[in-house]
Amino acid sequence: MMHTPASMVMGIVFAPLGLVLVFTAAITPQWREGQARLSMTGSLFRSSVKTQGMGSKSGSVESLLLLRTDGLWESCLQVEQSELKQCWPVAGPYQRDPRVRLAQGLILTSLFLCGTGIVLACIGVRCWTDLPLRGVAATGGLLVVMAGLLSLTALGVYTHNLGRLGMTDSSQAIINPRFPPLSLRAAGSLYFGWLGSCLQVLGGSALLFSFKRPRCPTCPSCPELAVCPACSSCPEVTNRPDTDVYEVSC
């Protein structure tokens, strides 16, 4: 029975886990978040809040705390401590920002490469036979490493420009009394992405060790000669009951 190398086991565990985390980060809108306090001057906001049961007494609610989150493909706006929430596909300057488009492309490419690498790794491990396809498994590991590096690049670009995404010039930073600017910071999806990318790099690197072939045993009588399990010229090796026999090419 074949013993799967520890590097392969580590790779086929970490790589799919990293893929799930990066995919989760990609589809969730919590890449950055911000808060802004909005005065309750509009009758529409006031009536909406009362509908949600937040202002039973007149004048009890003088301001609202808005929570804004942005992702790669979706943005959301929610009123704190209420069910008022609305999400929409990214649009406007934020959608057209080249750094956001770069992050989108890198994440999509990363997901494709990681999925392909995992398929190759599963084929290469071949737990149903005695001989793993080491070259195929290692090639899958290389693709997984590349996927992890691409997602790390996307996350780095987004994080470095987090507060400037969607702002083409300084004139957009003018304070609007009806909708004050948000103080933006990194949100939960970014941390999922960082963790998933690191797991991809670790898993792919482990699979890369599949290129290393095992050493053939040596005959105790003739240490200078390598013994092939298919050859019965060395009884000291082939007749040992606790010796596992593998058909390996050295």
Side-chain angles (χ1 to χ4, degrees):
M1 181 178 180
M2 185 197 75
H3 295 281
T4 304
S7 60
M8 287 187 177
V9 175
M10 180 179 176
I12 61 179
V13 170
F14 281 4
L17 182 57
L19 176 63
V20 171
L21 290 174
V22 174
F23 178 76
T24 302
I27 63 175
T28 51
Q30 284 83 29
W31 281 58
R32 69 177 185 179
E33 64 182 5
Q35 298 180 353
R37 191 165 295 278
L38 186 66
S39 299
M40 288 282 293
T41 56
S43 60
L44 178 60
F45 267 116
R46 188 180 297 275
S47 61
S48 299
V49 173
K50 287 184 178 181
T51 303
Q52 297 295 329
M54 293 180 58
S56 57
K57 298 180 179 180
S58 177
S60 60
V61 179
E62 297 180 353
S63 63
L64 292 176
L65 184 61
L66 300 180
L67 305 178
R68 168 71 180 266
T69 58
D70 292 312
L72 292 183
W73 286 276
E74 190 178 36
S75 298
C76 293
L77 187 64
Q78 181 180 7
V79 179
E80 189 182 39
Q81 298 179 353
S82 76
E83 298 179 359
L84 292 175
K85 182 177 181 180
Q86 184 177 5
C87 297
W88 62 91
V90 293
Y94 179 80
Q95 180 191 25
R96 296 189 297 269
D97 194 297
R99 294 160 294 193
V100 175
R101 290 182 174 272
L102 176 62
Q104 291 174 342
L106 290 176
I107 289 295
L108 290 177
T109 305
S110 171
L111 293 174
F112 174 77
L113 288 180
C114 188
T116 305
I118 291 174
V119 172
L120 290 178
C122 293
I123 296 175
V125 171
R126 291 184 61 179
C127 295
W128 60 91
T129 64
D130 290 337
L131 287 176
L133 301 177
R134 296 180 176 274
V136 177
T139 303
L142 180 61
L143 292 180
V144 174
V145 170
M146 292 175 60
L149 294 177
L150 287 178
S151 55
L152 284 175
T153 303
L155 291 163
V157 170
Y158 191 98
T159 304
H160 181 70
N161 302 282
L162 187 143
R164 299 187 295 271
L165 296 175
M167 296 184 180
T168 55
D169 51 54
S170 59
S171 62
Q172 295 190 14
I174 299 177
I175 297 178
N176 187 337
R178 297 182 59 187
F179 193 82
L182 302 174
S183 55
L184 298 171
R185 62 180 182 274
S189 296
L190 276 181
Y191 301 115
F192 278 108
W194 286 112
L195 179 59
S197 301
C198 293
L199 288 178
Q200 286 178 346
V201 174
L202 288 176
S205 300
L207 288 170
L208 284 176
F209 285 103
S210 302
F211 275 124
K212 184 179 179 181
R213 293 181 178 273
R215 294 182 179 180
C216 287
T218 57
C219 178
S221 302
C222 304
E224 70 278 0
L225 298 177
V227 177
C228 178
C231 177
S232 59
S233 61
C234 182
E236 291 87 344
V237 174
T238 57
N239 292 339
R240 291 171 59 183
D242 57 343
T243 302
D244 294 329
V245 179
Y246 303 92
E247 294 182 1
V248 295
S249 58
C250 300

